Amino acid sequence: HPLIFRLLEQHCGMVEITSYVGVNDLPFGSSYDDVVSVFGEPVKVRESRNGWKKLNYDDFIVSFDPDSAGFGEFTLLPETRAKLNGELIGWDYGFLRTLGQLQESVGFLVSFEFGIAVAGFHDGDQSGKSIHALRRGLWDSDLDRMTPFEVSC
């Protein structure tokens, strides 16, 4: 049964990202209470320099937009088991080839097609490797400062 399979995957640590929609059936824009009801209590709560409230879990970070106070970004930490639009995410350079046209900005590669930003894949910074699922519009204001990034073979 598909529902039992989905619940089993979530219980076993599989994260399901749907581009610009949300994570594990939790839509972007959701409240702090909604996030905690889905993922449980975080290991740590902190605030970034730019005012984003961040809930740190073992394998990921949930961030809240300071303008709307809603869930705005989901960060996968290295080697977290996850799917993007139903396809398994690989934690190697080849993953970049699946993201369509990429734009580079301040150390991140952004795929507007998939609502994903990545770090550490293209610059050899293994300690900074991360995958960020984004709410729609999050990087739009930076587009004029971005440069196209070509994935090498």
Side-chain angles (χ1 to χ4, degrees):
H1 190 275
L3 178 60
I4 293 171
F5 180 70
R6 192 171 75 209
L7 290 172
L8 180 61
E9 276 190 328
Q10 287 179 1
H11 177 73
C12 294
M14 181 65 71
V15 173
E16 296 270 355
I17 298 168
T18 305
S19 292
Y20 292 119
V21 174
V23 178
N24 288 21
D25 297 324
L26 183 72
F28 287 115
S30 295
S31 71
Y32 178 96
D33 289 340
D34 290 338
V35 169
V36 170
S37 74
V38 170
F39 297 116
E41 290 295 329
V43 174
K44 181 168 103 177
V45 177
R46 63 185 178 87
E47 189 168 313
S48 69
R49 291 182 303 237
N50 56 1
W52 283 71
K53 185 176 198 171
K54 297 187 174 280
L55 306 185
N56 291 51
Y57 293 86
D58 291 332
D59 297 323
F60 55 86
I61 301 168
V62 179
S63 302
F64 293 85
D65 188 327
D67 297 327
S68 68
F71 165 40
E73 181 177 331
F74 188 91
T75 304
L76 293 169
L77 300 176
E79 304 305 325
T80 300
R81 291 174 24 127
K83 290 182 179 180
L84 173 61
N85 301 327
E87 298 295 323
L88 197 59
I89 290 175
W91 282 90
D92 57 15
Y93 188 82
F95 174 61
L96 299 180
R97 290 188 203 97
T98 69
L99 297 177
Q101 176 59 52
L102 296 170
Q103 300 289 325
E104 187 170 17
S105 180
V106 295
F108 288 91
L109 298 179
V110 180
S111 168
F112 287 96
E113 181 180 346
F114 289 96
I116 295 290
V118 299
F121 283 80
H122 64 299
D123 56 10
D125 182 11
Q126 294 297 313
S127 66
K129 196 176 259 192
S130 57
I131 299 172
H132 308 259
L134 313 169
R135 70 161 169 75
R136 190 169 298 282
L138 190 59
W139 282 78
D140 290 1
S141 64
D142 296 328
L143 189 55
D144 62 338
R145 294 186 298 275
M146 293 182 174
T147 56
F149 180 85
E150 293 299 323
V151 178
S152 61
C153 295

